[in-house]
Amino acid sequence: AQTVTQSQPEMSVQEAETVTLSCTYDTSESNYYLFWYKQPPSRQMILVIRQEAYKQQNATENRFSVNFQKAAKSFSLKISDSQLGDTAMYFCAFIHAYSGAGSYQLTFGKGTKLSVIP
Amino acid sequence: EPEVTQTPSHQVTQMGQEVILRCVPISNHLYFYWYRQILGQKVEFLVSFYNNEISEKSEIFDDQFSVERPDGSNFTLKIRSTKLEDSAMYFCASSEAGITEAFFGQGTRLTVV
């Protein structure tokens, strides 16, 4: 079974600065997808960014980018020019690319609480 | 922009009662999920639903739980004989294909007293 580990329960960053959130995962599969989800105080889960394991190029989405190291099974999220609205829980998640059972369940890490300080 | 809608946003129920949590997935999506998040903990998979049947369920999803897609648009989670430890945020999610982005609803906060 796959596991996702986020080793930083809480982090803080000054507004306009850059912060990196860490995530490692464990799987025996070679084809999978990784995600970062944001959960603001409203508790809704919002997709931030997605990475396909077969792609070597790191995904970017405006101020958000990832550092995907497949051999190390590492998937960190970098937030540039941090804004107050980035304050949230951030969850790293994993999904296998193929499921014969018709289920593509997400496996989540425990989350990192990010606070952006004005 | 299409979205997953969950009702109610907050449900308070007496221990032992049955509750039904409702979800309207995005209309062209084929995969449906329920996840649970106990306060302060990580999001946990409960069940997935595809082709009008349960495709996978976790250890949490025992006989106390059931899901239905009664009318082609709604997707419900029923919890029978609720226990205090069922208090959590319940998220419905849907995706167009299995590996595409899962869109989450805003969640239903269930409080069992």
Side-chain angles (χ1 to χ4, degrees):
Chain A
Q2 61 273 13
T3 58
V4 178
T5 302
Q6 293 179 251
S7 58
Q8 305 150 316
E10 291 193 45
M11 293 189 73
S12 61
V13 62
Q14 290 290 135
E15 195 175 5
E17 296 296 308
T18 296
V19 64
T20 298
L21 309 183
S22 301
C23 173
T24 58
Y25 58 93
D26 187 26
T27 181
S28 57
E29 300 293 327
S30 60
N31 201 8
Y32 49 87
Y33 295 77
L34 295 160
F35 305 85
W36 279 97
Y37 277 88
K38 169 184 177 180
Q39 187 181 44
S42 66
R43 302 294 299 275
Q44 182 156 11
M45 299 290 285
I46 302 165
L47 180 68
V48 174
I49 200 164
R50 158 194 161 117
Q51 173 79 44
E52 291 89 344
Y54 63 86
K55 287 187 177 179
Q56 291 187 329
Q57 187 173 6
N58 288 324
T60 62
E61 196 69 47
N62 300 317
R63 297 184 294 109
F64 300 87
S65 61
V66 298
N67 183 5
F68 173 49
Q69 302 288 329
K70 191 172 184 179
K73 296 181 181 174
S74 169
F75 181 62
S76 60
L77 174 70
K78 185 171 83 170
I79 306 174
S80 304
D81 186 24
S82 298
Q83 300 175 359
L84 296 179
D86 295 333
T87 293
M89 282 290 285
Y90 286 82
F91 292 96
C92 179
F94 171 103
I95 197 169
H96 281 139
Y98 173 76
S99 171
S103 169
Y104 294 88
Q105 57 168 291
L106 287 160
T107 299
F108 287 89
K110 290 186 176 181
T112 295
K113 184 177 181 181
L114 178 67
S115 299
V116 180
I117 303 165
Chain B
E1 185 174 330
E3 59 181 15
V4 177
T5 305
Q6 289 185 244
T7 54
S9 57
H10 190 189
Q11 172 101 41
V12 181
T13 189
Q14 294 276 342
M15 192 168 55
Q17 295 297 304
E18 174 181 289
V19 294
I20 297 176
L21 310 184
R22 301 179 192 281
C23 170
V24 179
I26 295 172
S27 61
N28 65 332
H29 285 188
L30 301 176
Y31 295 81
F32 313 111
Y33 304 87
W34 283 101
Y35 289 85
R36 180 179 82 175
Q37 185 183 30
I38 294 172
L39 186 63
Q41 299 187 24
K42 67 177 179 179
V43 179
E44 300 174 293
F45 167 76
L46 290 178
V47 66
S48 59
F49 195 86
Y50 170 73
N51 201 25
N52 289 318
E53 61 182 14
I54 291 174
S55 49
E56 193 165 0
K57 57 185 180 180
S58 71
E59 294 175 349
I60 303 168
F61 194 89
D62 58 20
D63 291 343
Q64 187 191 3
F65 297 87
S66 61
V67 290
E68 262 193 334
R69 188 159 160 78
D71 56 11
S73 61
N74 291 286
F75 180 50
T76 63
L77 174 69
K78 182 188 293 185
I79 310 174
R80 290 179 282 274
S81 300
T82 49
K83 300 173 281 193
L84 295 177
E85 53 264 39
D86 294 327
S87 295
M89 196 78 164
Y90 288 81
F91 291 101
C92 174
S94 69
S95 63
E96 186 175 1
I99 56 174
T100 56
E101 175 187 350
F103 288 81
F104 282 77
Q106 77 278 24
T108 293
R109 184 188 300 273
L110 176 66
T111 303
V112 182
V113 298

